[in-house]
């Protein structure tokens, strides 16, 4: 067997090639992150072994930096192994007590890991092409987080400009309130506004839910408001509402693309009550190829939901905290999906209540339900069968 270790960076990659006898075929060398550099690496690999089934290439999971090289390797029929940097770091430390950490050393370490056969799974074509769904779900996640921060800014600005408004509506973050504040972003503007125009703005934005009575209530509150008249804050409020509106449109477009891919995948995960396109897509995207995992426990470890263990001599930890390593996106999706599944599915709801009755904190009980959900999803994806509720 031929083992190729690659330490990935932005502009260049350090490589090391050895064989199963431990013979160094190519000492650590550097290739540029270009097509020419990729071809140079491929030619060196081919010069020592033509049979691709006898070649293993390992590289660290370094976000977007390894994506192009990974695609090149897979397109050329090479078995590629994407390794967690934490795993590489621990393995390197186990080889020597010296604190030696360079790109060339890392490339050699990765090759040694492949040679030692530390239960690594090759990155399949399915995993690679699943990156499109992962990109969309992570992009949506970031956009939703950005929108949440802007909504906090809306609450802050309204507290300064028109604090009484929050008690007059169910929530500040609704179309009618945004339409009102975008056009009339201060108490003075609302107080001086003609009642007919104010009524029209509210009625159109709320689709008839609010009329003359609500317009009078809001205008009267504005006339007696303690809100500050600050043109700078009013301008910030208008722009923030505009940004939120644009984000709503972008998120909707992203979700449309996610739904198209999920319809093509036709995953049975969507048959579980409480899991919709958004959370289901995020779970599928982050896990990728289920064949990479030998058991549901491996997925739990990848998501960082597994409990940490500490024992030394007579000392053993009484409280096991969640590891919180691995994919934070998968951890977020699983925990949030579990909350909805426990609401919509009686079996999971009963299981959650059982854990709560045992005296467990709500978050701990949810983590137990999340483990149960992962086992269910793993079995469904392996069998391809839809969810069947318990009788």
């Amino acid at each position: 067997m031929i083992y190729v270790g690659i330490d990935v960076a932005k502009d260049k990659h350090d490589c090391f090639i050895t064989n199963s006898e431990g013979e160094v075929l190519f000492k650590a060398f550097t290739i540029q992150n270009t097509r020419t550099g990729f071809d140079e690496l491929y030619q060196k690999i081919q010069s020592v072994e033509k049979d691709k089934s006898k070649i293993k290439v390992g590289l660290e999971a370094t976000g977007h930096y390894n994506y192009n090289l990974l695609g090149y390797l897979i397109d050329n029929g090479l078995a590629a192994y994407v390794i967690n940097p934490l795993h590489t770091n621990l393995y390197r430390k186990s080889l020597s007590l010296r604190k030696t950490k360079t790109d060339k050393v890392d490339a050699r370490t990765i090759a040694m890991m492949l040679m030692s056969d530390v239960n690594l799974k090759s990155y399949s074509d399915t995993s690679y092409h699943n990156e499109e769904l992962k990109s969309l779900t992570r992009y949506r996640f970031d956009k939703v987080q950005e929108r949440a921060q802007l909504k906090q800014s809306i609450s802050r600005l309204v507290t300064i400009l028109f604090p009484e408004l929050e008690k007059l509506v169910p929530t500040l973050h609704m179309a009618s309130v945004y339409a009102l504040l975008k056009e009339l972003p201060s108490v003075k503007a609302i107080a001086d506004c003609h009642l007919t125009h104010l009524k029209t703005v509210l009625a159109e934005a709320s689709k008839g839910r609010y009329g003359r009575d609500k317009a009078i209530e809001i205008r009267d509150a504005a006339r007696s408001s303690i809100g500050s008249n600050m043109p700078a804050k009013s301008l910030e409020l208008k722009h923030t509402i505009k940004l939120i509106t644009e984000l709503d449109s972008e998120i909707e477009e992203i979700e449309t693309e996610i739904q198209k891919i999920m319809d093509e995948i036709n995953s049975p995960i969507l048959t579980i009550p409480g899991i919709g396109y958004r959370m289901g897509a995020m779970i599928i995207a982050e896990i990728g190829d289920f064949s990479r995992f030998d058991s549901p426990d491996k997925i739990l470890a990848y998501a960082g939901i597994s409990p940490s263990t500490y024992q030394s001599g007579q000392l053993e930890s009484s409280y096991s905290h969640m590891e919180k390593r691995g994919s934070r996106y998968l951890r977020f999706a699983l925990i949030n999906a579990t909350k909805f599944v426990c609401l919509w599915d009686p079996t999971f709801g009963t299981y959650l209540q059982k854990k709560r009755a045992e005296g467990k904190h709500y978050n701990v009980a949810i983590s137990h339900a999340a483990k149960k959900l992962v086992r269910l999803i793993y079995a469904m994806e392996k069998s391809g069968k839809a969810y069947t509720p318990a009788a």
Side-chain angles (χ1 to χ4, degrees), residues 106-350:
D106 283 347
R108 186 186 183 103
T109 301
I110 293 169
M112 294 300 106
M113 286 183 70
L114 292 175
M115 189 188 302
S116 64
D117 193 23
V118 285
N119 198 28
L120 298 173
K121 296 290 185 180
S122 63
Y123 204 79
S124 67
D125 189 65
T126 302
S127 299
Y128 177 70
H129 293 292
N130 187 64
E131 290 292 336
E132 184 177 1
L133 183 60
K134 184 189 288 186
S135 295
L136 285 170
T137 54
R138 289 190 175 187
Y139 185 46
R140 179 192 171 275
F141 179 87
D142 292 338
K143 288 291 182 182
V144 171
Q145 294 289 97
E146 185 180 347
R147 183 177 63 182
Q149 290 180 352
L150 290 173
K151 285 184 176 181
Q152 290 179 355
S153 294
I154 293 288
S155 301
R156 171 179 58 83
L157 292 167
V158 169
T159 300
I160 297 171
L161 298 171
F162 191 3
E164 295 82 5
L165 179 61
E166 194 168 4
K167 296 180 181 179
L168 303 178
V169 292
T171 174
L172 294 176
H173 311 294
M174 50 195 297
S176 54
V177 175
Y178 280 2
L180 170 68
L181 295 176
K182 188 176 180 181
E183 185 168 342
L184 307 167
S186 68
V187 287
K188 186 177 185 307
I190 296 172
D192 295 343
C193 182
H194 195 280
L195 183 60
T196 303
H197 180 64
L198 185 59
K199 171 196 165 186
T200 302
V201 170
L202 290 171
E204 288 180 356
S206 65
K207 297 181 179 179
R209 181 180 177 185
Y210 294 140
R212 181 182 177 85
D213 291 342
K214 180 58 70 174
I216 293 174
E217 185 181 16
I218 290 176
R219 191 180 67 172
D220 289 346
R223 287 176 173 175
S224 60
S225 174
I226 60 171
S228 302
N229 184 26
M230 302 176 67
K233 296 294 183 186
S234 296
L235 183 63
E236 183 182 349
L237 180 61
K238 284 177 61 176
H239 287 180
T240 304
I241 292 172
K242 183 180 178 181
L243 288 173
I244 291 176
T245 304
E246 291 174 353
L247 280 173
D248 285 338
S249 177
E250 291 172 3
I251 291 170
E252 184 178 350
E253 186 177 354
I254 296 167
E255 290 177 350
T256 300
E257 293 301 314
I258 288 174
Q259 186 166 342
K260 286 180 183 177
I261 296 175
M262 287 298 289
D263 287 340
E264 291 177 8
I265 294 174
N266 194 26
S267 170
I269 194 175
L270 297 179
T271 63
I272 301 174
I275 296 185
Y277 279 101
R278 290 173 290 189
M279 286 298 106
M282 203 166 189
I283 293 170
I284 294 297
E286 292 300 322
I287 294 176
D289 187 357
F290 278 78
S291 65
R292 292 191 302 139
F293 302 93
D294 296 329
S295 68
D297 289 339
K298 296 290 180 67
I299 296 177
L300 289 169
Y302 178 65
I305 297 178
S306 297
S308 59
T309 304
Y310 184 84
Q311 187 275 329
S312 179
Q314 300 299 316
L315 176 63
E316 186 169 350
S317 175
S318 302
Y319 301 97
S320 297
H321 297 282
M322 190 181 291
E323 287 182 340
K324 291 190 177 180
R325 287 179 172 176
S327 172
R328 67 186 180 95
Y329 297 99
L330 178 57
R331 186 164 59 249
F332 169 85
L334 286 173
I335 294 297
N336 280 275
T338 300
K339 293 177 181 178
F340 285 103
V341 172
C342 288
L343 285 174
W344 289 94
D345 184 76
T347 303
F348 276 86
T350 303

